[in-house]
Amino acid sequence: MITRDDNPDEVSLPPHLTKHRCYANWCWEQGWKVSMKSRAQTMYQALSNYEQRPNDDEAEVPLWPSGSETKKVCSWFKFLHFWKAHYSNIKVRAKGADTCTDCMILIYGLKKIVAPITGEIENHVIDWIQDIKQVEMYTKWRHLLPDYAKDVTCPKPSDTVIKKIRDERNAKAKARQNKGEANQSVKGDKNVESSDIIIEK
């Protein structure tokens, strides 16, 4: 059987567990609250500026009661280096990789098969499939399926969904085009200035 992952030993963490969040959680478990110098650039302050984790004696189930001892922690860069050196098989999945298109097709097909048995008749695209996934399944995969399975596994999304995705893609393409034209304009201005300088000499 061919698996989706090339490395069977690879461990994939959910997208919300970024490496930075793992570092912050590890420091928290050691009794420290990380301090940020710049959230935009994800820069941490010196270890000496980390705050001690507050006690939670009043909680129903205290996780850090009075008397808990803090443990030594390392910097973010040492944490990242240790991760890469000893746990390179642990990776964070991309946000769009929670469920691949292949799996989505399989799940949706099974959902349609089970629906008549459970009494849940669904003649529309189920709500929990993202709009972009609905369009991708219809445009990229439908033609590969036999005719009897096309409407069951890769049905056509509503006109509203198709228009929404089309408008989003057109807006992104226009933004990229405008950015490219702006960059070309800036380069042109610099070339003109350079030529002026040469002429003056």
Side-chain angles (χ1 to χ4, degrees):
M1 178 179 178
I2 299 176
T3 59
R4 183 177 173 229
D5 297 322
D6 295 331
N7 183 7
D9 297 326
E10 183 175 302
V11 178
S12 297
L13 300 177
H16 71 277
L17 279 181
T18 63
K19 291 181 180 179
H20 287 285
R21 183 179 290 273
C22 289
Y23 173 67
N25 290 345
W26 174 72
C27 289
W28 182 257
E29 292 175 357
Q30 310 309 309
W32 299 97
K33 180 181 178 181
V34 299
S35 299
M36 305 292 294
K37 184 188 302 182
S38 171
R39 290 190 176 276
Q41 300 178 0
T42 322
M43 297 175 60
Y44 296 91
Q45 294 192 17
L47 293 176
S48 57
N49 292 331
Y50 284 10
E51 301 176 4
Q52 289 193 14
R53 178 178 176 176
N55 301 121
D56 54 355
D57 297 317
E58 297 180 357
E60 185 176 353
V61 182
L63 300 177
W64 195 258
S66 299
S68 300
E69 297 183 0
T70 58
K71 298 179 181 179
K72 186 177 180 180
V73 296
C74 64
S75 66
W76 155 248
F77 293 104
K78 288 185 177 180
F79 177 86
L80 182 61
H81 177 75
F82 187 84
W83 183 319
K84 292 180 178 179
H86 300 279
Y87 297 98
S88 59
N89 63 312
I90 301 179
K91 302 181 183 299
V92 179
R93 288 201 308 269
K95 290 185 178 180
D98 272 318
T99 308
C100 67
T101 305
D102 296 354
C103 298
M104 191 68 75
I105 290 175
L106 177 61
I107 293 173
Y108 188 67
L110 292 175
K111 183 84 174 178
K112 283 289 187 177
I113 294 173
V114 174
I117 301 175
T118 59
E120 301 175 2
I121 306 301
E122 300 182 54
N123 295 319
H124 60 279
V125 179
I126 47 184
D127 298 334
W128 51 268
I129 295 184
Q130 298 178 358
D131 294 342
I132 184 63
K133 289 292 185 182
Q134 295 181 29
V135 175
E136 285 182 355
M137 289 167 61
Y138 179 73
T139 58
K140 295 182 179 180
W141 299 93
R142 180 183 172 91
H143 69 281
L144 300 175
L145 300 176
D147 292 338
Y148 67 85
K150 289 180 178 180
D151 292 334
V152 174
T153 307
C154 298
K156 181 180 179 181
S158 65
D159 294 338
T160 303
V161 171
I162 294 176
K163 183 178 183 303
K164 174 187 173 184
I165 299 302
R166 184 190 300 117
D167 292 344
E168 289 178 355
R169 289 180 173 175
N170 290 339
K172 290 181 180 179
K174 187 175 181 180
R176 287 194 298 268
Q177 182 180 359
N178 293 338
K179 185 177 180 181
E181 293 176 353
N183 292 338
Q184 290 295 330
S185 177
V186 172
K187 291 180 180 179
D189 293 341
K190 290 183 178 179
N191 292 335
V192 171
E193 293 175 1
S194 300
S195 62
D196 292 341
I197 294 173
I198 295 172
I199 292 171
E200 290 177 1
K201 289 182 179 180

mmCIF file of all heavy atoms in Angstrom, residues 143-176:
data_model
loop_
_atom_site.group_PDB
_atom_site.id
_atom_site.type_symbol
_atom_site.label_atom_id
_atom_site.label_comp_id
_atom_site.label_asym_id
_atom_site.label_seq_id
_atom_site.Cartn_x
_atom_site.Cartn_y
_atom_site.Cartn_z
ATOM 1 N N HIS A 143 -13.632 15.028 -13.395
ATOM 2 C CA HIS A 143 -13.483 14.394 -14.712
ATOM 3 C C HIS A 143 -12.720 13.071 -14.642
ATOM 4 O O HIS A 143 -12.732 12.294 -15.597
ATOM 5 C CB HIS A 143 -12.764 15.354 -15.668
ATOM 6 C CG HIS A 143 -11.322 15.575 -15.322
ATOM 7 N ND1 HIS A 143 -10.923 16.420 -14.313
ATOM 8 C CD2 HIS A 143 -10.180 15.037 -15.843
ATOM 9 C CE1 HIS A 143 -9.600 16.429 -14.239
ATOM 10 N NE2 HIS A 143 -9.124 15.589 -15.149
ATOM 11 N N LEU A 144 -12.056 12.797 -13.517
ATOM 12 C CA LEU A 144 -11.309 11.550 -13.369
ATOM 13 C C LEU A 144 -12.181 10.398 -12.868
ATOM 14 O O LEU A 144 -11.753 9.244 -12.895
ATOM 15 C CB LEU A 144 -10.135 11.746 -12.407
ATOM 16 C CG LEU A 144 -9.085 12.795 -12.813
ATOM 17 C CD1 LEU A 144 -8.053 12.967 -11.715
ATOM 18 C CD2 LEU A 144 -8.407 12.393 -14.120
ATOM 19 N N LEU A 145 -13.381 10.715 -12.403
ATOM 20 C CA LEU A 145 -14.258 9.702 -11.817
ATOM 21 C C LEU A 145 -15.207 9.129 -12.861
ATOM 22 O O LEU A 145 -15.521 9.793 -13.863
ATOM 23 C CB LEU A 145 -15.078 10.317 -10.671
ATOM 24 C CG LEU A 145 -14.277 10.904 -9.506
ATOM 25 C CD1 LEU A 145 -15.233 11.565 -8.511
ATOM 26 C CD2 LEU A 145 -13.456 9.830 -8.814
ATOM 27 N N PRO A 146 -15.669 7.915 -12.645
ATOM 28 C CA PRO A 146 -16.696 7.355 -13.548
ATOM 29 C C PRO A 146 -17.980 8.158 -13.423
ATOM 30 O O PRO A 146 -18.232 8.801 -12.406
ATOM 31 C CB PRO A 146 -16.865 5.919 -13.044
ATOM 32 C CG PRO A 146 -16.358 5.937 -11.637
ATOM 33 C CD PRO A 146 -15.265 6.948 -11.593
ATOM 34 N N ASP A 147 -18.799 8.107 -14.448
ATOM 35 C CA ASP A 147 -19.999 8.946 -14.492
ATOM 36 C C ASP A 147 -20.916 8.727 -13.290
ATOM 37 O O ASP A 147 -21.486 9.687 -12.765
ATOM 38 C CB ASP A 147 -20.781 8.672 -15.785
ATOM 39 C CG ASP A 147 -20.015 9.146 -17.020
ATOM 40 O OD1 ASP A 147 -19.133 10.016 -16.852
ATOM 41 O OD2 ASP A 147 -20.293 8.644 -18.131
ATOM 42 N N TYR A 148 -21.030 7.483 -12.835
ATOM 43 C CA TYR A 148 -21.972 7.204 -11.752
ATOM 44 C C TYR A 148 -21.515 7.801 -10.424
ATOM 45 O O TYR A 148 -22.307 7.964 -9.494
ATOM 46 C CB TYR A 148 -22.183 5.690 -11.591
ATOM 47 C CG TYR A 148 -20.964 4.934 -11.106
ATOM 48 C CD1 TYR A 148 -20.675 4.831 -9.755
ATOM 49 C CD2 TYR A 148 -20.110 4.325 -12.021
ATOM 50 C CE1 TYR A 148 -19.552 4.132 -9.310
ATOM 51 C CE2 TYR A 148 -18.992 3.640 -11.599
ATOM 52 C CZ TYR A 148 -18.713 3.541 -10.234
ATOM 53 O OH TYR A 148 -17.605 2.859 -9.818
ATOM 54 N N ALA A 149 -20.217 8.136 -10.324
ATOM 55 C CA ALA A 149 -19.690 8.646 -9.058
ATOM 56 C C ALA A 149 -19.478 10.156 -9.052
ATOM 57 O O ALA A 149 -19.206 10.734 -8.005
ATOM 58 C CB ALA A 149 -18.371 7.954 -8.728
ATOM 59 N N LYS A 150 -19.613 10.795 -10.199
ATOM 60 C CA LYS A 150 -19.313 12.222 -10.285
ATOM 61 C C LYS A 150 -20.215 13.069 -9.402
ATOM 62 O O LYS A 150 -19.751 13.912 -8.637
ATOM 63 C CB LYS A 150 -19.404 12.686 -11.742
ATOM 64 C CG LYS A 150 -18.280 12.163 -12.615
ATOM 65 C CD LYS A 150 -18.402 12.651 -14.047
ATOM 66 C CE LYS A 150 -17.228 12.151 -14.894
ATOM 67 N NZ LYS A 150 -17.325 12.604 -16.296
ATOM 68 N N ASP A 151 -21.523 12.869 -9.504
ATOM 69 C CA ASP A 151 -22.453 13.685 -8.732
ATOM 70 C C ASP A 151 -22.463 13.312 -7.256
ATOM 71 O O ASP A 151 -22.898 14.110 -6.423
ATOM 72 C CB ASP A 151 -23.877 13.547 -9.303
ATOM 73 C CG ASP A 151 -23.991 14.177 -10.686
ATOM 74 O OD1 ASP A 151 -23.206 15.100 -10.971
ATOM 75 O OD2 ASP A 151 -24.852 13.731 -11.479
ATOM 76 N N VAL A 152 -22.003 12.123 -6.948
ATOM 77 C CA VAL A 152 -21.985 11.683 -5.550
ATOM 78 C C VAL A 152 -20.750 12.199 -4.829
ATOM 79 O O VAL A 152 -20.829 12.709 -3.709
ATOM 80 C CB VAL A 152 -22.028 10.135 -5.470
ATOM 81 C CG1 VAL A 152 -21.864 9.673 -4.035
ATOM 82 C CG2 VAL A 152 -23.335 9.611 -6.057
ATOM 83 N N THR A 153 -19.602 12.076 -5.482
ATOM 84 C CA THR A 153 -18.338 12.397 -4.824
ATOM 85 C C THR A 153 -17.888 13.825 -5.063
ATOM 86 O O THR A 153 -17.390 14.476 -4.154
ATOM 87 C CB THR A 153 -17.238 11.431 -5.305
ATOM 88 O OG1 THR A 153 -17.686 10.091 -5.135
ATOM 89 C CG2 THR A 153 -15.961 11.634 -4.500
ATOM 90 N N CYS A 154 -18.061 14.323 -6.285
ATOM 91 C CA CYS A 154 -17.610 15.683 -6.627
ATOM 92 C C CYS A 154 -18.748 16.470 -7.260
ATOM 93 O O CYS A 154 -18.691 16.812 -8.450
ATOM 94 C CB CYS A 154 -16.413 15.631 -7.561
ATOM 95 S SG CYS A 154 -14.959 14.834 -6.862
ATOM 96 N N PRO A 155 -19.783 16.772 -6.505
ATOM 97 C CA PRO A 155 -20.916 17.496 -7.080
ATOM 98 C C PRO A 155 -20.541 18.946 -7.393
ATOM 99 O O PRO A 155 -19.548 19.473 -6.886
ATOM 100 C CB PRO A 155 -21.970 17.433 -5.976
ATOM 101 C CG PRO A 155 -21.168 17.331 -4.720
ATOM 102 C CD PRO A 155 -19.968 16.511 -5.066
ATOM 103 N N LYS A 156 -21.338 19.573 -8.222
ATOM 104 C CA LYS A 156 -21.085 20.969 -8.569
ATOM 105 C C LYS A 156 -21.485 21.872 -7.405
ATOM 106 O O LYS A 156 -22.592 21.763 -6.880
ATOM 107 C CB LYS A 156 -21.889 21.350 -9.814
ATOM 108 C CG LYS A 156 -21.665 22.793 -10.243
ATOM 109 C CD LYS A 156 -22.484 23.129 -11.476
ATOM 110 C CE LYS A 156 -22.267 24.585 -11.890
ATOM 111 N NZ LYS A 156 -23.067 24.939 -13.081
ATOM 112 N N PRO A 157 -20.579 22.758 -6.975
ATOM 113 C CA PRO A 157 -20.930 23.696 -5.897
ATOM 114 C C PRO A 157 -22.002 24.669 -6.366
ATOM 115 O O PRO A 157 -22.282 24.789 -7.565
ATOM 116 C CB PRO A 157 -19.599 24.416 -5.606
ATOM 117 C CG PRO A 157 -18.541 23.572 -6.239
ATOM 118 C CD PRO A 157 -19.187 22.897 -7.397
ATOM 119 N N SER A 158 -22.570 25.386 -5.453
ATOM 120 C CA SER A 158 -23.585 26.376 -5.811
ATOM 121 C C SER A 158 -22.948 27.513 -6.615
ATOM 122 O O SER A 158 -21.741 27.749 -6.543
ATOM 123 C CB SER A 158 -24.233 26.945 -4.540
ATOM 124 O OG SER A 158 -23.279 27.660 -3.772
ATOM 125 N N ASP A 159 -23.765 28.210 -7.377
ATOM 126 C CA ASP A 159 -23.260 29.332 -8.167
ATOM 127 C C ASP A 159 -22.650 30.404 -7.278
ATOM 128 O O ASP A 159 -21.687 31.081 -7.672
ATOM 129 C CB ASP A 159 -24.394 29.936 -9.003
ATOM 130 C CG ASP A 159 -24.902 28.969 -10.068
ATOM 131 O OD1 ASP A 159 -24.139 28.047 -10.435
ATOM 132 O OD2 ASP A 159 -26.056 29.137 -10.522
ATOM 133 N N THR A 160 -23.188 30.558 -6.078
ATOM 134 C CA THR A 160 -22.663 31.556 -5.146
ATOM 135 C C THR A 160 -21.234 31.223 -4.742
ATOM 136 O O THR A 160 -20.362 32.099 -4.690
ATOM 137 C CB THR A 160 -23.552 31.633 -3.893
ATOM 138 O OG1 THR A 160 -24.896 31.924 -4.272
ATOM 139 C CG2 THR A 160 -23.044 32.698 -2.928
ATOM 140 N N VAL A 161 -20.981 29.946 -4.437
ATOM 141 C CA VAL A 161 -19.641 29.518 -4.039
ATOM 142 C C VAL A 161 -18.658 29.684 -5.190
ATOM 143 O O VAL A 161 -17.537 30.183 -5.012
ATOM 144 C CB VAL A 161 -19.664 28.047 -3.563
ATOM 145 C CG1 VAL A 161 -18.244 27.524 -3.368
ATOM 146 C CG2 VAL A 161 -20.446 27.923 -2.265
ATOM 147 N N ILE A 162 -19.066 29.273 -6.389
ATOM 148 C CA ILE A 162 -18.184 29.384 -7.558
ATOM 149 C C ILE A 162 -17.831 30.843 -7.825
ATOM 150 O O ILE A 162 -16.670 31.191 -8.081
ATOM 151 C CB ILE A 162 -18.851 28.764 -8.796
ATOM 152 C CG1 ILE A 162 -19.002 27.243 -8.602
ATOM 153 C CG2 ILE A 162 -18.037 29.055 -10.051
ATOM 154 C CD1 ILE A 162 -19.726 26.548 -9.732
ATOM 155 N N LYS A 163 -18.820 31.729 -7.742
ATOM 156 C CA LYS A 163 -18.576 33.157 -7.973
ATOM 157 C C LYS A 163 -17.653 33.727 -6.900
ATOM 158 O O LYS A 163 -16.760 34.536 -7.195
ATOM 159 C CB LYS A 163 -19.901 33.921 -7.979
ATOM 160 C CG LYS A 163 -19.763 35.406 -8.294
ATOM 161 C CD LYS A 163 -21.109 36.096 -8.322
ATOM 162 C CE LYS A 163 -20.963 37.571 -8.714
ATOM 163 N NZ LYS A 163 -20.059 38.315 -7.823
ATOM 164 N N LYS A 164 -17.839 33.293 -5.664
ATOM 165 C CA LYS A 164 -17.005 33.777 -4.567
ATOM 166 C C LYS A 164 -15.540 33.430 -4.801
ATOM 167 O O LYS A 164 -14.653 34.283 -4.677
ATOM 168 C CB LYS A 164 -17.481 33.170 -3.250
ATOM 169 C CG LYS A 164 -16.594 33.502 -2.061
ATOM 170 C CD LYS A 164 -17.021 32.733 -0.825
ATOM 171 C CE LYS A 164 -16.026 32.952 0.306
ATOM 172 N NZ LYS A 164 -16.374 32.143 1.503
ATOM 173 N N ILE A 165 -15.269 32.167 -5.145
ATOM 174 C CA ILE A 165 -13.889 31.724 -5.373
ATOM 175 C C ILE A 165 -13.300 32.416 -6.595
ATOM 176 O O ILE A 165 -12.131 32.823 -6.595
ATOM 177 C CB ILE A 165 -13.831 30.195 -5.532
ATOM 178 C CG1 ILE A 165 -14.345 29.499 -4.253
ATOM 179 C CG2 ILE A 165 -12.419 29.740 -5.836
ATOM 180 C CD1 ILE A 165 -13.588 29.868 -3.007
ATOM 181 N N ARG A 166 -14.111 32.564 -7.664
ATOM 182 C CA ARG A 166 -13.627 33.231 -8.871
ATOM 183 C C ARG A 166 -13.246 34.680 -8.566
ATOM 184 O O ARG A 166 -12.195 35.175 -8.997
ATOM 185 C CB ARG A 166 -14.690 33.189 -9.964
ATOM 186 C CG ARG A 166 -14.201 33.788 -11.291
ATOM 187 C CD ARG A 166 -15.322 33.954 -12.295
ATOM 188 N NE ARG A 166 -15.951 32.681 -12.617
ATOM 189 C CZ ARG A 166 -17.214 32.387 -12.367
ATOM 190 N NH1 ARG A 166 -17.994 33.282 -11.783
ATOM 191 N NH2 ARG A 166 -17.709 31.219 -12.694
ATOM 192 N N ASP A 167 -14.102 35.376 -7.798
ATOM 193 C CA ASP A 167 -13.825 36.774 -7.464
ATOM 194 C C ASP A 167 -12.575 36.891 -6.599
ATOM 195 O O ASP A 167 -11.777 37.820 -6.765
ATOM 196 C CB ASP A 167 -15.022 37.386 -6.734
ATOM 197 C CG ASP A 167 -16.237 37.543 -7.639
ATOM 198 O OD1 ASP A 167 -16.053 37.469 -8.874
ATOM 199 O OD2 ASP A 167 -17.353 37.721 -7.114
ATOM 200 N N GLU A 168 -12.405 35.959 -5.654
ATOM 201 C CA GLU A 168 -11.224 35.992 -4.793
ATOM 202 C C GLU A 168 -9.953 35.795 -5.610
ATOM 203 O O GLU A 168 -8.948 36.489 -5.399
ATOM 204 C CB GLU A 168 -11.331 34.918 -3.711
ATOM 205 C CG GLU A 168 -12.377 35.211 -2.650
ATOM 206 C CD GLU A 168 -12.487 34.096 -1.622
ATOM 207 O OE1 GLU A 168 -11.809 33.048 -1.798
ATOM 208 O OE2 GLU A 168 -13.251 34.265 -0.655
ATOM 209 N N ARG A 169 -9.980 34.851 -6.537
ATOM 210 C CA ARG A 169 -8.799 34.593 -7.366
ATOM 211 C C ARG A 169 -8.507 35.765 -8.301
ATOM 212 O O ARG A 169 -7.343 36.135 -8.503
ATOM 213 C CB ARG A 169 -9.003 33.303 -8.166
ATOM 214 C CG ARG A 169 -8.954 32.047 -7.306
ATOM 215 C CD ARG A 169 -9.160 30.795 -8.127
ATOM 216 N NE ARG A 169 -8.958 29.596 -7.324
ATOM 217 C CZ ARG A 169 -9.172 28.357 -7.762
ATOM 218 N NH1 ARG A 169 -9.599 28.161 -9.011
ATOM 219 N NH2 ARG A 169 -8.960 27.320 -6.979
ATOM 220 N N ASN A 170 -9.556 36.366 -8.866
ATOM 221 C CA ASN A 170 -9.360 37.521 -9.736
ATOM 222 C C ASN A 170 -8.772 38.696 -8.956
ATOM 223 O O ASN A 170 -7.911 39.425 -9.467
ATOM 224 C CB ASN A 170 -10.683 37.935 -10.383
ATOM 225 C CG ASN A 170 -11.175 36.928 -11.408
ATOM 226 O OD1 ASN A 170 -10.391 36.130 -11.921
ATOM 227 N ND2 ASN A 170 -12.457 36.944 -11.702
ATOM 228 N N ALA A 171 -9.240 38.870 -7.722
ATOM 229 C CA ALA A 171 -8.729 39.969 -6.890
ATOM 230 C C ALA A 171 -7.248 39.764 -6.572
ATOM 231 O O ALA A 171 -6.455 40.711 -6.606
ATOM 232 C CB ALA A 171 -9.544 40.067 -5.604
ATOM 233 N N LYS A 172 -6.876 38.504 -6.266
ATOM 234 C CA LYS A 172 -5.469 38.211 -5.983
ATOM 235 C C LYS A 172 -4.606 38.418 -7.217
ATOM 236 O O LYS A 172 -3.498 38.957 -7.133
ATOM 237 C CB LYS A 172 -5.332 36.775 -5.467
ATOM 238 C CG LYS A 172 -5.902 36.549 -4.077
ATOM 239 C CD LYS A 172 -5.715 35.107 -3.630
ATOM 240 C CE LYS A 172 -6.288 34.887 -2.236
ATOM 241 N NZ LYS A 172 -6.134 33.470 -1.799
ATOM 242 N N ALA A 173 -5.117 37.979 -8.376
ATOM 243 C CA ALA A 173 -4.358 38.147 -9.619
ATOM 244 C C ALA A 173 -4.174 39.628 -9.949
ATOM 245 O O ALA A 173 -3.094 40.053 -10.372
ATOM 246 C CB ALA A 173 -5.075 37.435 -10.766
ATOM 247 N N LYS A 174 -5.225 40.421 -9.733
ATOM 248 C CA LYS A 174 -5.130 41.850 -10.001
ATOM 249 C C LYS A 174 -4.146 42.516 -9.049
ATOM 250 O O LYS A 174 -3.387 43.407 -9.455
ATOM 251 C CB LYS A 174 -6.511 42.489 -9.869
ATOM 252 C CG LYS A 174 -6.553 43.941 -10.297
ATOM 253 C CD LYS A 174 -7.977 44.472 -10.266
ATOM 254 C CE LYS A 174 -8.009 45.929 -10.733
ATOM 255 N NZ LYS A 174 -9.392 46.476 -10.718
ATOM 256 N N ALA A 175 -4.154 42.087 -7.791
ATOM 257 C CA ALA A 175 -3.221 42.650 -6.809
ATOM 258 C C ALA A 175 -1.779 42.341 -7.186
ATOM 259 O O ALA A 175 -0.899 43.202 -7.091
ATOM 260 C CB ALA A 175 -3.540 42.105 -5.418
ATOM 261 N N ARG A 176 -1.540 41.098 -7.662
ATOM 262 C CA ARG A 176 -0.188 40.729 -8.093
ATOM 263 C C ARG A 176 0.233 41.547 -9.315
ATOM 264 O O ARG A 176 1.380 41.982 -9.429
ATOM 265 C CB ARG A 176 -0.120 39.238 -8.412
ATOM 266 C CG ARG A 176 -0.147 38.343 -7.170
ATOM 267 C CD ARG A 176 0.274 36.923 -7.535
ATOM 268 N NE ARG A 176 -0.641 36.326 -8.493
ATOM 269 C CZ ARG A 176 -1.692 35.587 -8.159
ATOM 270 N NH1 ARG A 176 -1.951 35.354 -6.883
ATOM 271 N NH2 ARG A 176 -2.469 35.035 -9.094
#
